[in-house]
Amino acid sequence: MKTFLDIKQPPYEDSRAVIIPFGYEKTVSYLKGTSRGPGAIMEASSQLELYDIQTDSEPHLMGIHTLSETEIEGLSPEKAQDFIYDAVQKTLNDGKLPVLLGGEHSISAGSVRACKEKFPDLTVLQIDAHADLRDSYEGSKYSHACAMSRIAESAPYVGVGIRSVGTEELDAFKKKRTAGEIITVDDFRRLNNFKSIIDKLTENIYITIDADGYDPSIIPGVGTPEPGGLTYQETDNLLSEVITNRNVVGFDFVELRPITGEVRSEFTAAKIIYKIIARIFRKNN
Ligand SMILES: [Mn+2]
């Protein structure tokens, strides 16, 4: 079985983090292939150094357990969210950190719902090129274009890196019909520090990362590559501050669409995921 980092699978009981691969892809609107995201990220993660220089730690020694990929063929979007809800709920109840690998962004809502039940003050930090605030898209409320509308039904959020918004989303946002705040990529770059972002977050937070929040020059493998995105360093600085100042109860990385023969996207994704785990473990140790 494929595991994150290609390490010998530690026993579930002894693990601090649980990788939940879920390559669900049903409602994707443009380029397809995100169903292969989790597999590609795990494959690329085998090339990471297990030692993390920034935190001076070996996060894998704390136990990172990878669940096997589930059979998701033919699952309705509602059922897919329920599946994720159950998996994340179990992980939280066992006192572990859920790390969800997508798959399309619509699955995150199930994860947030479970985290919100366990941590009632929960807020969500979203990294994304898109607001994902449509109420429905192409006839479905579960489309990835509605991901944040569904998440906002469970928990308030702060979106960072947003640079592509439809007029109907703008309307929802301006009329405050959403329990969230958007920080456009331009506004983000005008900040001298991250205090204004962190102040909007409660103690317990969930992080949802849409791969397209990053610039396509570093992660070209996404369904909708929007130029002008966040750099690795900008995002890492933000995540480092957020993790230091808040309690991250779970996170996901979604919407990666591997490009054959071009491993930059999945390698960068694997690095980001391991770095977040490293920072969370470091803080809680
Ligand atoms: Mn998204």
Side-chain angles (χ1 to χ4, degrees):
M1 196 199 102
K2 235 186 239 178
T3 61
F4 188 69
L5 304 172
D6 195 26
I7 48 173
K8 187 171 168 290
Q9 179 85 301
Y12 177 83
E13 301 72 44
D14 302 338
S15 296
R16 289 270 300 274
V18 178
I19 306 282
I20 308 169
F22 198 71
Y24 187 72
E25 177 172 30
K26 190 95 177 182
T27 70
V28 167
S29 41
Y30 188 27
L31 301 174
K32 301 203 188 301
T34 188
S35 62
R36 292 182 285 113
I41 291 171
M42 285 197 284
E43 187 83 45
S45 71
S46 69
Q47 301 304 313
L48 292 173
E49 290 290 355
L50 296 173
Y51 169 73
D52 179 67
I53 191 165
Q54 281 173 302
T55 56
D56 184 26
S57 68
E58 291 192 75
H60 68 106
L61 297 176
M62 310 287 291
I64 300 173
H65 185 92
T66 306
L67 298 183
S68 46
E69 278 209 70
T70 352
E71 189 46 69
I72 47 181
E73 201 53 29
L75 218 56
S76 72
E78 295 91 326
K79 283 263 153 46
Q81 280 191 18
D82 286 347
F83 177 89
I84 288 303
Y85 170 84
D86 290 342
V88 170
Q89 187 183 53
K90 180 180 186 323
T91 308
L92 293 174
N93 286 339
D94 293 336
K96 304 177 193 308
L97 176 79
V99 180
L100 172 62
L101 307 185
E104 61 176 64
H105 207 168
S106 55
I107 59 173
S108 303
S111 185
V112 171
R113 186 151 51 92
C115 291
K116 173 72 177 178
E117 275 180 21
K118 187 88 180 169
F119 302 93
D121 74 317
L122 191 85
T123 47
V124 175
L125 174 66
Q126 169 205 16
I127 291 172
D128 205 320
H130 309 98
D132 290 350
L133 276 178
R134 288 176 165 86
D135 185 50
S136 70
Y137 191 68
E138 294 175 343
S140 172
K141 277 180 145 349
Y142 292 93
S143 165
H144 69 151
C146 317
M148 294 313 293
S149 292
R150 296 295 83 76
I151 283 175
E153 288 167 357
S154 299
Y157 67 89
V158 181
V160 175
I162 316 298
R163 55 195 185 277
S164 174
V165 179
T167 48
E168 99 186 69
E169 296 178 283
L170 201 63
D171 199 46
F173 184 69
K174 283 190 172 155
K175 291 184 179 151
K176 294 261 178 232
R177 276 193 277 107
T178 171
E181 293 221 30
I182 286 177
I183 297 162
T184 66
V185 78
D186 293 332
D187 288 343
F188 179 78
R189 293 202 164 111
R190 277 193 281 268
L191 299 174
N192 295 317
N193 57 57
F194 302 124
K195 188 176 182 304
S196 59
I197 296 177
I198 291 166
D199 283 349
K200 291 179 178 51
L201 301 169
T202 48
E203 175 55 19
N204 292 302
I205 69 160
Y206 182 88
I207 303 175
T208 180
I209 302 178
D210 186 323
D212 66 26
Y214 288 84
D215 192 74
S217 60
I218 53 168
I219 303 190
V222 292
T224 320
E226 291 282 349
L230 298 168
T231 67
Y232 177 83
Q233 203 55 60
E234 284 175 322
T235 317
D236 189 51
N237 291 344
L238 171 67
L239 291 171
S240 168
E241 282 286 307
V242 165
I243 293 166
T244 302
N245 290 286
R246 293 293 183 264
N247 181 41
V248 180
V249 303
F251 73 95
D252 64 53
F253 193 101
V254 297
E255 297 276 342
L256 186 92
R257 187 189 65 90
I259 300 168
T260 308
E262 155 66 271
V263 298
R264 178 172 22 162
S265 304
E266 44 267 41
F267 187 78
T268 305
K271 179 109 189 173
I272 292 163
I273 292 159
Y274 195 45
K275 186 71 75 182
I276 295 174
I277 293 173
R279 294 196 189 285
I280 294 173
F281 283 179
R282 186 79 191 155
K283 187 196 172 188
N284 295 333
N285 240 14

